[in-house]
Amino acid sequence: MFDRSRRRLAVWFTLSMGGILILFAFTVYQRQITEQKREFDESIYARAKKIVDRTEYKQKPNWQLDTEKTFPTQALITAESNITCTRWYDAQKRLVKSFGQCSQFSFSTRQWRTIKHHEDQAHMAKLRTLTLPLTKGKFLVGYLEVTASMTDIYNSQKRSRLFLAFGIPITLGITGIVGWLLAGFAMRPVKRSYEQLQRFTADASHELRAPVAAILSNAQVGLLAPTGDQAQPRQRLENIVTQSKYMSDLITNLLFLARHQGQLNPQDVNKTNIVELLNSLGERYQTLAKEKGLEFELDISVTSKEIIGDYDLLQQAIGNLIDNATKYTPSGGIVALKLEIKPRRILITVQDTGIGIPQADLAHVFDRFYRVDKTRTRQTGGFGLGLAIAQQIIQAHNGKITVESEVDKGTTFQICLPVNSKIR
Ligand code: ADP
């Protein structure tokens, strides 16, 4: 599925980018041709004007070309330009004199002409002619026809066409490769989220299957029990209640993760007194820690500090961390909750002296359904969602949650929250 989408993206990219590039190349090519022709015509015109200026006339009795005086000066002009032939005609359009390598074609008074001329059977030359009237005062003496070879200009255009013929397929090839790589980059996050979603669905189904199976078997066995036996169905019903509670908790957590996906309801975001929140959590967990034989330390040096956030969500995130600390710390250990106030942010630290988390697992503890030790957590009843929920809440508050841990020494979770943040 992803390969097909990647291929499609690459093809579309190549077609659109390639199309734009080819269009651009042809526009440049066309402009170059037009510009070359214009410059070519301008140079012929300038030369022809010079020839006109140096053309000599004599009056006998009407004005005529003085062919004898005119020739020597023309030799210079013709030799250093593209001009291959210069012809003088009289007012009756009869050829008077010609100079250079002149091809045979009919005379015309049209100013500009492009003439295809077959030099021999195999070669065809393109010639450009410019015809200018020669006047003496108001009197038309004759015409000057200048012919230039367009070979150089056509050779240059041929080279440009050859460059395009090779350049376009190469450019399309490179665009295709770039498109394929870019499509790969673009598909990466989509692929990752798809895989995450698939894993999440598989994990959630797996987690729900066990309690459903337990409920079913309890109900089925209960139905099979003899009608007079009161104790059996009660035990089964209690099992069903336990499993249903487990499922209900799991579904609540899953719904929570789905609902609060990176967004907070702006109406729930208020000024929250974080000191009050931590003190209330401290009170709750102090009793719990005592029951487990743990020491609970509360380190808050201020009496009040307000931040922008959702009280209930923050309570749940920090509560999950303290809950874990008490769950994964054997009796006799210490669980500490600390608040530090920085100029624009606050730091909340939950530290324990518990079993710790191996380095290899640290990168994954915030993943949904991730448990370091499945057997141990089954006993303590965790789903592997507590840290994922905590991280989602903190990120929705534009905060950051980090973890440091050493096996058998303890774990430290730290939450960094901006005091004033625009909630996502
Ligand atoms: P759970 O509901 O299983 O506790 P969490 O998402 O809260 O799920 O935690 C994920 C895993 O990270 C836990 O299963 C546990 O292995 C590990 N963990 C979390 N907090 C601690 C801690 N304070 N000490 C040791 N291990 C921890």
Side-chain angles (χ1 to χ4, degrees), residues 44-54 130 132 144:
I44 298 174
Y45 192 83
R47 301 269 169 197
K49 271 280 180 207
K50 267 189 195 172
I51 300 172
V52 170
D53 290 347
R54 292 182 197 184
L130 168 64
L132 292 176
L144 172 77

Side-chain angles (χ1 to χ4, degrees), residues 321 324-325 327-328 352 355-357 365 370-373 377 382-388 411 413:
L321 299 187
N324 278 347
K327 250 191 323 192
Y328 300 111
D352 66 57
I355 60 168
I357 303 168
V365 286
Y370 194 84
R371 300 177 182 117
V372 174
D373 182 344
T377 32
F383 300 117
L385 292 175
L387 288 180
T411 307
F413 281 94

Side-chain angles (χ1 to χ4, degrees), residues 159-362:
R159 278 197 298 276
S160 299
R161 277 201 296 273
L162 196 73
F163 178 76
L164 285 180
F166 281 104
I168 286 172
I170 292 172
T171 311
L172 279 179
I174 294 171
T175 315
I177 294 169
V178 172
W180 177 253
L181 292 176
L182 285 180
F185 280 127
M187 293 305 292
R188 226 179 262 175
V190 182
K191 203 171 172 181
R192 211 177 302 133
S193 355
Y194 179 77
E195 282 166 0
Q196 265 174 3
L197 195 72
Q198 258 190 336
R199 206 176 324 125
F200 180 66
T201 314
D203 288 344
S205 320
H206 179 78
E207 288 296 324
L208 285 167
R209 203 167 51 188
V212 168
I215 290 171
L216 195 66
S217 70
N218 275 295
Q220 282 169 337
V221 173
L223 282 173
L224 291 174
T227 32
D229 188 352
Q230 289 295 320
Q232 262 261 10
R234 185 165 180 82
Q235 179 60 40
R236 301 275 160 216
L237 283 174
E238 273 170 9
N239 285 346
I240 289 172
V241 168
T242 313
Q243 295 301 332
S244 302
K245 260 190 76 148
Y246 176 88
M247 274 172 60
S248 166
D249 286 350
L250 179 59
I251 290 166
T252 310
N253 281 328
L254 290 177
L255 276 177
F256 182 92
L257 279 166
R259 276 204 195 119
H260 295 93
Q261 192 76 47
Q263 275 173 2
L264 282 184
N265 189 353
Q267 284 157 358
D268 299 332
V269 183
N270 285 315
K271 280 187 177 166
T272 295
N273 190 338
I274 198 74
V275 176
E276 186 190 308
L277 187 152
L278 293 179
N279 278 330
S280 100
L281 277 173
E283 259 172 52
R284 195 196 307 167
Y285 281 100
Q286 217 137 24
T287 331
L288 201 91
K290 214 178 253 173
E291 279 170 17
K292 274 199 72 185
L294 298 171
E295 196 182 314
F296 191 90
E297 289 173 1
L298 194 61
D299 181 0
I300 301 172
S301 52
V302 288
T303 50
S304 172
K305 177 71 190 170
E306 280 188 336
I307 65 160
I308 302 293
D310 183 315
Y311 188 97
D312 292 337
L313 291 181
L314 287 173
Q315 193 172 41
Q316 176 158 5
I318 303 160
N320 283 0
L321 299 187
I322 309 174
D323 202 47
N324 278 347
T326 51
K327 250 191 323 192
Y328 300 111
T329 306
S331 79
I334 303 167
V335 173
L337 175 63
K338 187 176 169 190
L339 172 69
E340 283 170 84
I341 315 279
K342 302 282 176 196
R344 301 176 75 177
R345 62 208 164 94
I346 57 159
L347 298 176
I348 299 160
T349 312
V350 178
Q351 196 170 20
D352 66 57
T353 56
I355 60 168
I357 303 168
Q359 287 299 311
D361 294 291
L362 273 182

